Amino acid sequence: MTFGTGTRLRQISPALRNEDARHQMILRCVENNSVIEGLPRFTKKMKQECLQDLKEIASKH
């Protein structure tokens, strides 16, 4: 299976074009899924680290 060959979702959706808003949405989704799996909510430090990682990943693309 090959991923990443089509148009990126953020190019199609105006709501995802704002990088900070997009990163916040990703972080909320990951945290909610983690809580569903029984993990604790993210700490402020963990959120900051995740956001920094997202920014680093985004800067490479």
Side-chain angles (χ1 to χ4, degrees):
M1 188 178 288
T2 304
F3 292 100
T5 58
T7 304
R8 294 175 186 235
L9 185 58
R10 67 178 174 227
Q11 292 172 323
I12 297 169
S13 173
L16 296 176
R17 289 186 189 139
N18 178 295
E19 186 173 280
D20 291 331
R22 185 174 64 253
H23 290 168
Q24 288 296 328
M25 282 189 249
I26 292 168
L27 189 60
R28 277 193 306 273
C29 182
V30 169
E31 182 176 21
N32 288 341
N33 288 340
S34 295
V35 170
I36 290 169
E37 294 295 325
L39 298 172
R41 292 214 170 267
F42 291 171
T43 63
K44 188 174 183 175
K45 180 181 178 187
M46 186 181 290
K47 286 181 184 181
Q48 290 172 339
E49 290 173 353
C50 287
L51 285 173
Q52 182 61 38
D53 289 344
L54 283 171
K55 288 179 182 181
E56 287 177 21
I57 292 167
S59 71
K60 294 177 183 178
H61 292 278

